[in-house]
Amino acid sequence: MATLLITGADLAGGGAQDLLVEDGRIVEVGTIRSAKGADVLDADGLVALPGLVDLHTHLREPGREDAETIASGSAAAAVGGYTAILAMANTDPVTDTAEAAERILDLGRAAGLVDVVPVGAVTKGLAGEELAELGLMHRSRAGVTVFSDDGHCVADSRVMRRALEYVRAFGGVVSQHAQDPHLAGPHACAHEGELSGRLGLPGWPGIAEESIVARDVMLARHTGSRVHVAHVSTAGTVEVIRWAKAQGIAVTAEVTPHHLVLTTDLLTGYDPTYKVNPPLRPQEDVDALRAALADGTIDAVATDHAPHARHDKEHAFVDAAFGMLGLETALSVVSDVMVGSGLLDWAGVARVMSQAPARIAGLTSHGQALAEGSPAHLTLVDPTATVTVDRSASLSLSRNNPWHGRTLQGAVHATVFGGRVTAQKGAIA
């Protein structure tokens, strides 16, 4: 493997250093005058972060390769600064067996741009009734540690309790899509309030999320197990998580870039690009999510990258598929709204986009400090660059990009995965 010398990088905002990479690891940090035969990457003016880790990615393969494949999703992740992504289980067939999980792992390794980590389903077929092969998936080559029925809530309390008890034995975690189906059914698609009533869109009240989160943190306390809350969207959920953490309950949480910025007001044009689950919320919820990410109540940013083919999105709002793209734009959104406002510094970005996600997922080779001996997974960011998002330039196979036409401050300059430059300036290297 080639030797790589990265010069003048600001290590997570802590000062400029050079990094020498050999055989996939950082072997020297400091002022390095020369490295014979090394490829040189000039990082003057760039911020170096541990490679980004996404806890929540939909890659659609197998079953919907018209929307995304593991290869195309890996490419989108690499240009977005990611070195590891967790592939959700709601594929066709569902990732609810050891064989299915190993197939995802192998396809990710064949793509070779990021570590693709399979997430196992909690229940067979995501039906919410019978536990999937949790132990077999964990003991497989895929080593599955995170389990989720994302897209569906594990609404049955007894099933959720059993899942938490089962994964406790091997340190696993259940990631919950918190949506009480009796309070927000399958057709619910807009934040319940005056606007949803005026637009005639089925309401998705915040209590449908908050009540499930409240139940799950109590189940986590009862079982002594770990629960993770996917795509937190309301101020009420933040309150529940803050209380649970103060009690010492093993709960972690993520927020998406779109829930940190976009609000329910965007639905007035009935543009299905903005249909997402959970739905966009009012500004007061957005403000609470930003504050919770800054103070650590919410642990991580996760994209919920959800590609869809045009024929699944181009419908009347109520009939369109849920979901937005996110992998290629997440860093720029966080830079723009969180760093630009002073709510996070670059060390904080490293915490919420790399270190905490890696810790939650049990990825010991990711999220490490950029120090001698660490795996050479890193992201170089240009904090002064501006990027105007163009959905037609996406490496994803889909185009449901809510950021199209927006100008954001801060951009990924290059991604290094295992000592190899995988992406640079928006293109695969």
Side-chain angles (χ1 to χ4, degrees):
M1 182 178 290
T3 301
L4 177 65
L5 176 61
I6 302 170
T7 61
D10 185 1
L11 303 190
Q17 300 278 354
D18 303 330
L19 299 169
L20 184 62
V21 174
E22 293 179 354
D23 297 325
R25 304 193 81 84
I26 298 171
V27 296
E28 188 176 351
V29 178
T31 301
I32 303 170
R33 299 300 180 188
S34 64
K36 186 176 181 180
D39 295 328
V40 179
L41 201 167
D42 181 4
D44 184 42
L46 304 180
V47 175
L49 305 175
L52 306 186
V53 177
D54 189 21
L55 286 167
H56 196 145
T57 303
H58 297 275
L59 295 178
R60 304 304 186 205
E61 185 177 8
R64 287 306 306 268
E65 288 85 352
D66 57 330
E68 197 77 288
T69 65
I70 289 173
S72 66
S74 294
V79 300
Y82 287 92
T83 57
I85 56 177
L86 274 71
M88 283 291 158
N90 60 338
T91 48
D92 185 15
V94 172
T95 308
D96 56 5
T97 66
E99 292 79 10
E102 289 178 347
R103 177 63 174 159
I104 301 299
L105 179 74
D106 291 341
L107 287 169
R109 287 177 174 173
L113 294 172
V114 297
D115 278 334
V116 176
V117 181
V119 172
V122 177
T123 65
K124 291 184 178 180
L126 309 179
E129 298 173 356
E130 185 180 355
L131 290 185
E133 298 179 357
L134 309 184
L136 291 176
M137 284 189 277
H138 178 70
R139 292 191 296 273
S140 73
R141 286 189 294 109
V144 178
T145 300
V146 181
F147 299 88
S148 180
D149 276 3
D150 187 61
H152 302 270
C153 179
V154 182
D156 187 310
S157 299
R158 184 174 61 175
V159 173
M160 186 64 176
R161 174 186 174 177
R162 286 176 174 171
L164 289 168
E165 288 172 336
Y166 201 108
V167 303
R168 181 187 60 199
F170 51 79
V173 61
V174 177
S175 175
Q176 176 70 290
H177 174 115
Q179 179 181 1
D180 186 320
H182 300 293
L183 294 172
H187 301 294
C189 60
H191 173 75
E192 185 178 275
E194 183 275 331
L195 183 63
S196 66
R198 178 158 50 87
L199 296 177
L201 297 174
W204 203 124
I207 189 63
E209 174 177 299
E210 296 150 9
S211 59
I212 293 292
V213 175
R215 181 205 70 176
D216 285 353
V217 298
M218 297 305 289
L219 286 173
R221 180 164 75 172
H222 178 74
T223 61
S225 193
R226 289 199 296 148
V227 68
H228 178 74
V229 185
H231 42 51
V232 172
S233 71
T234 77
T237 298
V238 169
E239 293 176 8
V240 174
I241 294 167
R242 185 174 285 124
W243 174 87
K245 288 190 170 187
Q247 305 305 307
I249 299 171
V251 57
T252 54
E254 70 188 37
V255 64
T256 70
H258 49 270
H259 285 115
L260 288 172
V261 180
L262 308 179
T263 65
T264 191
D265 296 342
L266 290 167
L267 273 57
T268 56
Y270 294 99
D271 184 346
T273 301
Y274 300 114
K275 183 181 180 183
V276 66
N277 189 358
L280 303 180
R281 302 292 187 185
Q283 187 64 50
E284 54 264 34
D285 290 303
V286 170
D287 293 341
L289 296 174
R290 293 181 185 180
L293 183 65
D295 69 21
T297 301
I298 293 177
D299 301 84
V301 173
T303 69
D304 196 5
H305 176 83
H308 288 291
R310 289 180 61 183
H311 59 265
D312 291 323
K313 266 293 189 182
E314 293 182 353
H315 291 278
F317 193 91
V318 293
D319 298 321
F322 290 100
M324 303 169 171
L325 299 186
L327 284 170
E328 292 163 289
T329 51
L331 186 281
S332 293
V333 173
V334 171
S335 170
D336 190 82
V337 68
M338 297 298 293
V339 179
S341 65
L343 287 170
L344 285 178
D345 57 15
W346 287 109
V349 174
R351 171 175 58 83
V352 302
M353 297 192 75
S354 179
Q355 294 159 351
R359 177 180 50 59
I360 291 165
L363 303 181
T364 57
S365 65
H366 290 269
Q368 294 190 21
L370 300 178
E372 292 180 14
S374 296
H377 304 312
L378 60 115
T379 305
L380 295 173
V381 179
D382 186 344
T384 65
T386 57
V387 55
T388 300
V389 180
D390 178 3
R391 63 184 168 216
S392 67
S394 175
L395 296 187
S396 170
L397 298 184
S398 295
R399 294 292 178 264
N400 51 313
N401 193 326
W403 309 103
H404 177 66
R406 289 183 180 241
T407 298
L408 303 169
Q409 181 78 33
V412 173
H413 178 84
T415 306
V416 178
F417 171 60
R420 175 170 59 95
V421 178
T422 53
Q424 198 162 8
K425 295 184 178 179
I428 296 300

